[in-house]
Amino acid sequence: MKHICKKLVVLWLGVMAYAANAEVQIYITEGRDDARPVAVVPFKFESASEVKVEPPHDFAQIIANDLERSGKFKPVEIAELPQSPNQITEVDIDAWKELGVDGVVYGIVKETAPGKYMVSYDLIDPYNDKAVMESNIPSGSYPLVDQSFHLMVLKTKLVNSDNFRWAAHIAADEIYEALTGERGAFATQIAYVQVDRLAAKPYNLNVADSDGFNQTNVFSSKRPIMSPTWSPDGNKLAYVSFENGRSEIFIQTIATGQRELIASYKGFNSAPAWSPDGTKMAMVLSKDGNPELYVMDLASKKLSRLTRHYAIDTEPSWNPDGKSLIFTSDRGGKPQIYSVSLAGGDAERVTFEGRYNAGAEFAPDGKTIVMVHQNNGNFHVAAQDIDTGNLTVLTKTSLDESLSVAPNSSMIIFSTVDGRQKVLSAVSMDGRFKARLPANVGEVKAPAWSPYIL
């Protein structure tokens, strides 16, 4: 089989209590048969206290879950591990070679005071006895034993109950980067709109960690909320709210809740998109009659108009270089993706395959644009290579919309329909790994992946 199907299998196998605590759960619907095998050994817990209180979360399990939902790794079942080391001197290199794993993670969680912990963890490559020399691990920080030459990551962190899960996501990022050479995106967040039609305020803008845990409500309303987008520093969200009976664009500081109304012009105020340097906001306004692209200087609130066409221009997305935008327009008769420079000039068509391409977004690495592409009456997530123009359909679902790309350009999160309900889904940039992210309550839509938080 080219793909390993895991229909309706919770990503956190064996830890169903964890999934029950997540506001948005993650189910793998299609995995990769070439996912790299890794071993994550359960961490040893130590406490100096007479009353032993287990840490708030399973640090090792969070790492294993993160690696698996990247689509690139397949953690070995705990029952199949040949040993359970907690420090480098206990590692049997030959046993891990025989198991055939590309990496082994192990560690210790030590309670230093109530609610405070020191977490130590290592990553080794069983096949590379020069790994430590290729890493940034300082000499003298590890014992001079043969196993130490296999070290790829050697870390110790002080954490508390409040940031315990986040510290585990950071550890997963470090391990992912050591194994792939690419920065991880587990210590990130996702904003999304959750709709519970039975609530007094059914429309909720929420933020959760990338694995669906630690949901925080940012704003609630009796009327629709749309198009959340992150500031480049990860501290603010811009979004469209209909709370006053019409579309308006707000900026809200997540930590304080402070809100600023930046666009309430006559007609439509929609599709905000932050510039890469955070100083400008692209948006769609119809104040002059037709929906057109504008760019607002956020300091002066001065507007610059980018498009002038009788067609509908909407859904702007910034090129990572900050010099141009792509957008959706039906100026050719059907919705397609166009590009326009901030320096001026005519818009240029970007997509040519298919009769419908819309809602495009640049991948942060600037190599790809992703979009909603219509094929045989169905709406799929697709990716187009910037250099070649080749377009690849990534999903098999039929009503995909509102996509957002992870800051390391490895995954795409989007809204789709499961049965009659809107859910979030994710797909890898190559289309070989897929997951579904339904909410415990109501519907979820309009996801926006945060930039790197660190």
Side-chain angles (χ1 to χ4, degrees):
M1 293 176 62
K2 187 174 181 181
H3 298 292
I4 300 173
C5 186
K6 301 181 179 179
K7 296 287 186 182
L8 302 181
V9 177
V10 180
L11 178 59
W12 296 281
L13 294 174
V15 282
M16 294 296 289
Y18 275 21
N21 292 329
E23 297 295 339
V24 175
Q25 300 179 31
I26 301 179
Y27 296 81
I28 296 175
T29 57
E30 189 171 319
R32 293 175 52 164
D33 59 358
D34 64 344
R36 297 168 61 185
V38 294
V40 182
V41 179
F43 285 15
K44 180 181 179 182
F45 178 59
E46 297 179 352
S47 176
S49 173
E50 294 182 1
V51 180
K52 189 174 182 180
V53 179
E54 293 292 326
H57 305 283
D58 188 331
F59 203 93
Q61 189 64 58
I62 294 169
I63 293 173
N65 294 341
D66 283 349
L67 293 176
E68 184 168 13
R69 66 187 173 88
S70 75
K72 295 185 177 182
F73 297 97
K74 173 61 179 173
V76 176
E77 297 289 344
I78 293 175
E80 298 177 8
L81 302 180
Q83 60 166 167
S84 298
N86 300 116
Q87 52 190 348
I88 189 64
T89 55
E90 299 172 356
V91 174
D92 183 342
I93 296 294
D94 289 336
W96 296 107
K97 283 184 179 178
E98 185 174 349
L99 185 63
V101 292
D102 288 356
V104 183
V105 180
Y106 54 87
I108 298 174
V109 177
K110 183 176 182 179
E111 185 182 35
T112 58
K116 296 184 178 181
Y117 308 89
M118 181 172 68
V119 183
S120 302
Y121 52 92
D122 302 348
L123 167 68
I124 65 163
D125 180 345
Y127 302 98
N128 187 357
D129 60 4
K130 297 180 177 60
V132 73
M133 291 178 279
E134 299 166 0
S135 72
N136 58 4
I137 300 173
S139 59
S141 62
Y142 49 85
L144 294 177
V145 295
D146 289 345
Q147 299 98 310
S148 294
F149 293 103
H150 295 261
L151 282 166
M152 300 178 72
V153 172
L154 177 68
K155 296 282 185 175
T156 297
K157 286 184 170 66
L158 296 176
V159 304
N160 57 47
S161 296
D162 293 336
N163 65 8
F164 196 91
R165 288 192 63 87
W166 193 256
H169 291 315
I170 293 173
D173 281 339
E174 294 165 344
I175 291 162
Y176 177 94
E177 184 170 3
L179 290 169
T180 66
E182 304 170 359
R183 187 172 179 180
F186 306 121
T188 56
Q189 295 182 305
I190 295 171
Y192 50 91
V193 176
Q194 187 167 6
V195 182
D196 180 3
R197 303 190 188 281
L198 299 179
K201 292 185 177 181
Y203 298 95
N204 295 276
L205 176 58
N206 297 327
V207 169
D209 293 348
S210 66
D211 62 350
F213 283 79
N214 295 330
Q215 176 177 286
T216 301
N217 178 253
V218 176
F219 178 68
S220 296
S221 178
K222 294 181 179 180
R223 292 176 172 168
I225 302 167
M226 300 172 61
S227 308
T229 181
W230 290 84
S231 62
D233 62 8
N235 293 325
K236 299 178 181 180
L237 285 168
Y239 54 91
V240 175
S241 174
F242 286 79
E243 64 198 76
N244 296 317
R246 54 194 299 270
S247 62
E248 298 172 314
I249 299 176
F250 290 83
I251 291 177
Q252 182 166 343
T253 302
I254 297 172
T256 65
Q258 181 179 357
R259 303 172 76 216
E260 179 185 8
L261 175 61
I262 64 166
S264 184
Y265 299 98
K266 179 181 66 176
F268 299 125
N269 301 269
S270 63
W274 238 296
S275 66
D277 65 3
T279 64
K280 302 178 183 67
M281 185 81 71
M283 60 187 69
V284 175
L285 307 175
S286 65
K287 66 186 187 68
D288 297 321
N290 206 52
E292 303 284 359
L293 266 60
Y294 292 78
V295 172
M296 175 182 287
D297 181 278
L298 291 175
S300 66
K301 301 301 186 290
K302 181 180 178 181
L303 285 172
S304 300
R305 184 169 171 175
L306 287 185
T307 61
R308 296 179 182 273
H309 201 279
Y310 60 83
I312 295 175
D313 297 334
T314 187
E315 300 174 327
S317 173
W318 290 84
N319 189 315
D321 66 11
K323 297 179 180 179
S324 64
L325 297 108
I326 53 175
F327 63 98
T328 304
S329 178
D330 63 355
R331 60 184 60 196
K334 297 289 184 180
Q336 294 292 341
I337 308 303
Y338 292 79
S339 175
V340 63
S341 172
L342 267 67
D346 294 334
E348 297 181 0
R349 186 168 167 176
V350 175
T351 55
F352 295 91
E353 184 173 334
R355 300 179 63 190
Y356 179 103
N357 294 287
E361 180 175 312
F362 271 99
D365 62 11
K367 298 179 181 178
T368 310
I369 59 171
V370 295
M371 70 201 76
V372 176
H373 170 79
Q374 186 181 26
N375 183 30
N376 294 326
N378 296 316
F379 296 88
H380 303 293
V381 174
Q384 180 169 306
D385 184 273
I386 293 292
D387 292 333
T388 66
N390 292 336
L391 186 142
T392 304
V393 175
L394 304 179
T395 62
K396 299 175 183 177
T397 41
S398 59
L399 291 171
D400 303 341
E401 62 180 14
S402 304
L403 50 83
S404 182
V405 186
N408 65 355
S409 302
S410 66
M411 299 285 289
I412 305 160
I413 191 168
F414 59 97
S415 176
T416 190
V417 175
D418 181 30
R420 295 184 177 181
Q421 189 158 330
K422 282 188 177 292
V423 299
L424 302 185
S425 288
V427 62
S428 59
M429 190 60 77
D430 62 7
R432 300 172 65 190
F433 177 87
K434 299 176 178 68
R436 184 166 55 86
L437 298 80
N440 286 339
V441 178
E443 298 182 327
V444 280
K445 58 184 180 180
W449 210 313
S450 79
Y452 292 115
I453 302 296
L454 299 178

